[in-house]
Amino acid sequence: VRALEMFHRGDNLMSLVYGDDYNRRVRGLDPKKQHHGAAADKGDEDDDDDDDEENDDSDQSEDDDFFKIKKKKNIQEEDLDDDDELPNPQVGEWSDEDKCEDIRNRFVTGDWSD
Amino acid sequence: RYSGSGETVRLKGSKNFRYRIVSAMLSGRPIVISDIRAEDESPGIKDYEASFLQMVDLVSSGSSISINETGTKLRYKPGAIEGGRGFELKHECPTSRGIGYFLEPLLLISIFGKKPTEITLTGVTDSSKDLCIDTIRNVTAGLIRHFGVEEKVSIKVLVRGVAPKGGGKVSSPFLFLEFCQPVSLLEPGKIKRFRGTSYVCRCSPQFANRMVTSARGILNRFIPDVYIHTDHCKGKAGGLSSGFGVSMTAESINGFVLSTQCIPTESSMPEEVGEKCAKQLVEQIAQGGCVDSNHQGMMCVLMALSPEDVSRLRIGKLSKPAIDILRLLQTFFGVTFMIKPDNKTNTVLLSCVGAGFQNFSRKHC
């Protein structure tokens, strides 16, 4: 949810991508994750920088503490998540005629006034 | 100007494997990746990643790859990108991933090669995990034209092959360029038409028509110019397994092409597949970017490699792979993108000053 807010507020995409603590928030940007991984996100919150890739030197002790979580995460986030799935957009509600109207102007048949 | 030498980059995990290797090759910097699936039940690099390294080795010379016993640590020292078509380059892709997995980065590598490359790949042409061959042929290969490749890259699908057994065959010539030219892609423009390919391999040709009909049901609501080609591959031309799928594109008046693809999960009907693909395409259009979310990462790489001038690109939502690639580009090339959200149109503007990359595989230029 935090990530979603971040995105909508939208002033901070730079730090989202390059900032130190981007990793957890970034996951929120993936619409698929938002929906499917709500439960998984909770787990992530606990060990924020553990799997942060640029932050290579995570403490050994922390590793022990979070061994189980890390294991799960490694499989889910770091290893499989990368390019295993194409970032196709989530298909939203489609019975909604309003939505179709919204993008009608993106077509040549739409309104050219702007 | 980017010099093309540098210290070793150390990374962890198997994330974004292809683009890490591609960045290493293009930047000429050695790379060490450790902890590749170290905690996984089957640790180490996967067959398709190993195969990718083999392919990369095939088109370059003087590179060295070393992997430890468990496969969790990789050391890669890139060589010069050779390319070539004098002898026949061939690569067999494992069926665990689609040919798109290999072709997409190869496209990036080969345009910076010494010679034009012509390669034949065999394996699964259309997979749900990777860009399918129609998408690559119609969209990905066209995108590099923004950066100064004049001619059309014509990828030929000799045999179509779907998972699990594959058996497809694709031949693709790639061109090379001396410089990437900076781009300014800001106005996606209005969509003028929909195109697509629906294919069936070794099963009823009726499936293709059913996919087309359901997709048209959605797309015709927006614009009447919809043409989805049906490709019925029977017998040998259909590879070793049976299956079907569809890929679609939306072309804008400014020459931008957005794409989606859909391949059925185990029990989906052709109607569902066609419909889902069409909906995804409309969703992409709604996002309002100049490239679709599958191609954001590749565009970022090319922008970062362009001369020391500002490149701009408008995209819809920043996709997760693209974010990873943006970070890689910062690590390897020191290129930091300006990422500005445009609240008025709900899009994101990416801009960067290129690294001034020269095709240093070709020293004489």
Side-chain angles (χ1 to χ4, degrees), chain A residues 7-14 16-19 22-23 26-27 29-33 53-54 56-58 67 70-71 74-75 77-92 94-97 99-101 103-112 114, chain B residues 10 12-18 20 37-40 48 97 101 128-131 188-192 194 218 221-224 253 260-261 276 279-280 282-289 293-294 317-321 323 326-327 330-331 335-339 341 343 348:
Chain A
F7 183 77
H8 285 311
R9 214 172 29 162
D11 50 2
N12 238 336
L13 276 174
M14 282 292 283
L16 187 77
V17 176
Y18 295 118
Y22 52 66
N23 217 352
V26 159
R27 276 181 211 120
L29 264 187
D30 185 0
K32 257 183 195 150
K33 276 271 139 183
E53 295 208 334
E54 327 287 287
D56 286 334
D57 313 302
S58 54
F67 184 69
K70 195 177 153 92
K71 186 173 176 182
N74 256 359
I75 297 165
E77 315 286 347
E78 211 161 273
D79 287 336
L80 285 182
D81 200 29
D82 50 333
D83 41 13
D84 266 3
E85 258 182 278
L86 292 164
N88 275 325
Q90 192 83 6
V91 175
W94 265 87
S95 46
D96 205 355
E97 280 293 322
K99 172 141 195 179
C100 298
E101 284 306 315
I103 65 163
R104 200 163 285 281
N105 287 341
R106 293 276 294 117
F107 296 88
V108 281
T109 46
D111 184 9
W112 283 74
D114 45 286
Chain B
R10 286 169 199 281
K12 278 186 170 185
S14 68
K15 205 174 185 178
N16 222 351
F17 187 80
R18 296 178 298 166
R20 285 177 172 180
R37 297 191 185 87
E39 318 273 337
D40 201 293
Y48 52 84
R97 294 302 287 256
Y101 179 86
S128 54
K129 288 175 181 172
D130 305 292
L131 292 179
K190 292 189 190 296
I191 303 297
K192 62 176 179 186
F194 291 113
I218 306 247
R221 285 154 76 177
F222 298 103
I223 211 161
I253 48 167
T260 48
Q261 57 182 65
K276 191 177 164 206
K279 284 176 177 175
Q280 278 180 348
V282 176
E283 203 75 25
Q284 289 279 11
I285 294 166
Q287 289 192 5
S293 46
N294 293 332
K317 279 201 187 89
L318 194 58
S319 72
K320 195 171 173 296
I323 292 174
L326 286 178
R327 288 178 193 148
Q330 193 185 38
T331 315
V335 175
T336 307
F337 280 69
M338 279 294 293
I339 308 158
N343 288 328
V348 178

Side-chain angles (χ1 to χ4, degrees), chain B residues 26-255:
Chain B
L26 295 177
S27 65
R29 296 173 72 173
I31 182 173
V32 174
I33 307 177
S34 55
D35 292 343
I36 302 173
R37 297 191 185 87
E39 318 273 337
D40 201 293
E41 277 165 21
S42 54
I45 63 169
K46 299 263 191 226
D47 58 343
Y48 52 84
E49 286 163 349
S51 174
F52 176 67
L53 285 172
Q54 281 169 9
M55 183 191 74
V56 155
D57 201 37
L58 200 68
V59 295
S60 61
S61 71
S63 62
S64 82
I65 303 167
S66 63
I67 303 168
N68 71 351
E69 291 134 66
T70 50
T72 52
K73 191 169 183 182
L74 165 77
R75 192 181 293 271
Y76 175 70
K77 195 176 150 293
I81 304 163
E82 284 283 340
R85 57 175 151 201
F87 57 100
E88 214 177 327
L89 281 179
K90 262 186 195 157
H91 183 71
E92 197 170 320
C93 309
T95 52
S96 45
R97 294 302 287 256
I99 283 179
Y101 179 86
F102 302 89
L103 213 47
E104 184 196 341
L106 187 64
L107 192 80
L108 273 176
I109 297 167
S110 60
I111 57 176
F112 296 104
K114 213 181 242 178
K115 288 171 278 186
T117 309
E118 184 154 9
I119 192 163
T120 305
L121 299 170
T122 51
V124 179
T125 54
D126 300 87
S127 123
S128 54
K129 288 175 181 172
D130 305 292
L131 292 179
C132 74
I133 194 68
D134 296 303
T135 309
I136 294 200
R137 187 172 55 179
N138 299 330
V139 185
T140 319
L143 280 176
I144 58 171
R145 274 195 282 175
H146 293 299
F147 294 89
V149 177
E150 300 274 307
E151 290 163 74
K152 198 169 166 24
V153 178
S154 56
I155 296 169
K156 285 192 198 78
V157 185
L158 304 171
V159 180
R160 204 183 273 276
V162 292
K165 282 187 189 152
K169 199 171 177 189
V170 173
S171 118
S172 52
F174 290 129
L175 304 146
F176 61 94
L177 32 84
E178 275 169 43
F179 295 105
C180 258
Q181 68 191 30
V183 292
S184 185
L185 311 173
L186 297 174
E187 275 307 314
K190 292 189 190 296
I191 303 297
K192 62 176 179 186
R193 64 182 172 208
F194 291 113
R195 291 289 179 267
T197 310
S198 75
Y199 58 87
V200 285
C201 294
R202 292 175 167 267
C203 58
S204 162
Q206 207 47 44
F207 283 11
N209 299 332
R210 284 162 68 185
M211 284 187 284
V212 173
T213 312
S214 65
R216 271 181 167 280
I218 306 247
L219 299 180
N220 272 345
R221 285 154 76 177
F222 298 103
I223 211 161
D225 191 357
V226 180
Y227 181 72
I228 299 166
H229 173 72
T230 52
D231 189 5
H232 177 216
C233 309
K234 54 183 177 183
K236 271 184 186 157
L240 303 171
S241 303
S242 57
F244 58 93
V246 64
S247 75
M248 289 174 204
T249 59
E251 293 169 33
S252 84
I253 48 167
N254 290 0

